[in-house]
Amino acid sequence: MTRTVVLTGASSGIGRAAAREFAGRGDQLVLAARSPATLAEVRDECVAAGAEVLVVPTDVTTPDALEGLARSALAEFGRIDVWVHTAAVMAYGRFEEVPERVFDQVVRTDLLAAAAVARVALRHFRAASAGTLILTGSVLGHITAPYMSGYVAAKWGLQGLARALQQEARETPGVNVCLINPGSVDTPVYRQAANYLGRLGRPPVPITTPERVARAMADCADWPRREVSVGRLNGVMRVGFTVLPGVYDVLVGPLMRLAGVTDRPVAPYDGIVFAPNPAGEAVRGGWLPELSQVVRAVGGAGATVGSALRRRLR
């Protein structure tokens, strides 16, 4: 049976890749994001794949917007079977140098909007005794990294929220809550992020593709799982963070400065935290071709990291 899938954050990166993936699997889609122009592009991509598509321009941080989105989906297709939430923004900078309004909006978008999506989706799923909610977390919901405090705080909060929702969902057979935790992904979000660090951010290696994350989401819609990690080193980083916290904290700063940001200087700006930038929206961010450069930078930094570790262990 054809499913109705609502996708929030469908205009770029993982969300756009997920829209294509679900379209290719024969689902009918309700696509939501802030930019009407970009949503129209994504709709055309999904229609070309054979999907029925409704687009609903939506800012997930606007009160009552998600209830309106759900009403539109029900009016068009009669039901909601899967809700995939991928909308997220980022801000780079030392905590005290990121404007309060920017930090608060990152948390509002990445955590509170996810909670609002869950509230609306689960209400409909419980009434129908069926449905799957798929939230997009991050490996940074299990570990930390400097210069991304708002994003880290939101993803840690989302990890706890998802766990609580999964516990409550046990009371309603047929209702599932899934959490997808990607590591570094080749999406435009790093260039689109707010920046008060003075250097452009980038995904540290190893980098995976948004299409791989999208497949994990579609697989969860078919066979729901509580949590799926997408990233070759996610487990290693989690073990290091938990088992060797002192060593982890010594290494993470130098490694973040070498592999998590570029040498390209940028003036302070808000990125897409408050408004979309359609010109920068795409599935891929163009980072994978730079993989060899990043590997060389990390390899050449061995002496720096080793020196920091030796100082720590003396």
Side-chain angles (χ1 to χ4, degrees):
M1 182 178 70
T2 300
R3 296 173 300 197
T4 299
V5 180
V6 177
L7 277 145
T8 36
S11 62
S12 193
I14 293 170
R16 191 165 183 167
R20 293 176 175 181
E21 181 68 26
F22 281 102
R25 297 192 182 200
D27 295 311
Q28 49 197 21
L29 307 178
V30 181
L31 306 178
R34 292 179 295 180
S35 171
T38 311
L39 276 178
E41 295 176 4
V42 184
R43 176 195 60 208
D44 292 344
E45 294 168 1
C46 294
V47 168
E52 293 184 69
V53 182
L54 171 69
V55 297
V56 185
T58 305
D59 184 338
V60 295
T61 66
T62 300
D64 300 325
L66 294 166
E67 285 286 5
L69 173 59
R71 286 194 297 270
S72 297
L74 292 169
E76 182 73 13
F77 295 119
R79 67 183 190 278
I80 301 172
D81 301 298
V82 180
W83 194 313
V84 181
H85 180 64
T86 68
V89 295
M90 290 169 50
Y92 286 95
R94 292 174 179 82
F95 171 71
E96 70 276 12
E97 295 174 354
V98 175
E100 182 178 350
R101 62 185 178 82
V102 173
F103 181 95
D104 289 356
Q105 186 69 7
V106 170
V107 174
R108 185 175 296 113
T109 303
D110 296 357
L111 175 58
L112 299 183
V117 163
R119 189 174 296 114
V120 173
L122 290 175
R123 189 177 299 135
H124 288 281
F125 292 162
R126 287 200 177 96
S129 296
T132 298
L133 172 63
I134 301 174
L135 300 171
T136 309
S138 169
V139 69
L140 289 175
H142 289 287
I143 66 173
T144 59
Y147 318 128
M148 302 175 69
S149 54
Y151 187 82
V152 169
K155 293 302 182 180
W156 274 70
L158 183 60
Q159 189 74 31
L161 174 65
R163 185 67 177 269
L165 296 180
Q166 288 166 346
Q167 292 165 350
E168 293 178 5
R170 294 174 65 86
E171 302 170 4
T172 311
V175 175
N176 303 285
V177 178
C178 308
L179 183 65
I180 306 294
N181 285 329
S184 296
V185 185
D186 180 24
T187 76
V189 70
Y190 305 91
R191 289 191 176 93
Q192 300 269 67
N195 198 302
Y196 298 89
L197 189 62
R199 295 168 61 186
L200 183 70
R202 68 182 169 199
V205 294
I207 305 170
T208 194
T209 66
E211 290 86 354
R212 183 182 173 198
V213 183
R215 287 193 296 271
M217 290 175 164
D219 288 345
C220 266
D222 293 336
W223 303 284
R225 296 170 59 188
R226 292 168 58 86
E227 184 173 338
V228 177
S229 178
V230 184
R232 291 191 297 275
L233 291 186
N234 288 8
V236 174
M237 290 187 289
R238 289 177 61 175
V239 169
F241 181 83
T242 304
V243 178
L244 299 169
V247 174
Y248 178 94
D249 287 351
V250 169
L251 297 179
V252 69
L255 288 174
M256 182 66 179
R257 289 188 291 273
L258 289 163
V261 295
T262 71
D263 293 329
R264 176 182 165 186
V266 290
Y269 70 113
D270 289 349
I272 62 166
V273 169
F274 296 101
N277 172 29
E281 294 178 329
V283 173
R284 296 284 190 99
W287 296 105
L288 283 173
E290 298 182 13
L291 179 60
S292 60
Q293 300 174 25
V294 177
V295 170
R296 285 196 298 270
V298 173
T304 301
V305 174
S307 176
L309 182 57
R310 286 193 296 273
R311 287 196 302 270
R312 172 70 180 182
L313 296 177
R314 282 175 184 169

